[in-house]
Amino acid sequence: MSKATTDLAAITDDAIEQVRYGKEHARWLAVLMTAIQGELAHGRAVLECRVSRSKDLASLGQYLADDLANYMNTRAEELQRQADAAGGE
């Protein structure tokens, strides 16, 4: 197998792993949004407490979403550079 073929196989494996990472983050965000909905709709605490907890959960969701977007953008650029380098050999 040529070096270019080996390099492209490694890049493909990395890309697949990144898609799986994104899928896992999406699952976490879905669970988090469900928790927020449940807290607001079915929580047993006083409304102000439920709203406060929901805001904290929403902040966590924003952090996870921002982190994922940044990470995926960085990895996409890195994978593109690797693919360009492998294709140019």
Side-chain angles (χ1 to χ4, degrees), residues 30-87:
V31 169
L32 186 57
M33 296 306 108
T34 300
I36 291 171
Q37 286 177 327
E39 185 66 34
L40 290 172
H42 308 294
R44 295 176 187 226
V46 175
L47 178 60
E48 291 82 14
C49 293
R50 294 186 345 234
V51 168
S52 178
R53 283 195 296 252
S54 296
K55 285 180 180 181
D56 290 342
L57 289 169
S59 292
L60 175 59
Q62 185 65 52
Y63 171 81
L64 288 173
D66 289 345
D67 183 60
L68 177 61
N70 181 56
Y71 181 76
M72 296 300 280
N73 184 56
T74 301
R75 290 295 293 144
E77 290 172 357
E78 183 180 324
L79 289 169
Q80 185 63 59
R81 281 193 299 275
Q82 292 174 356
D84 292 346

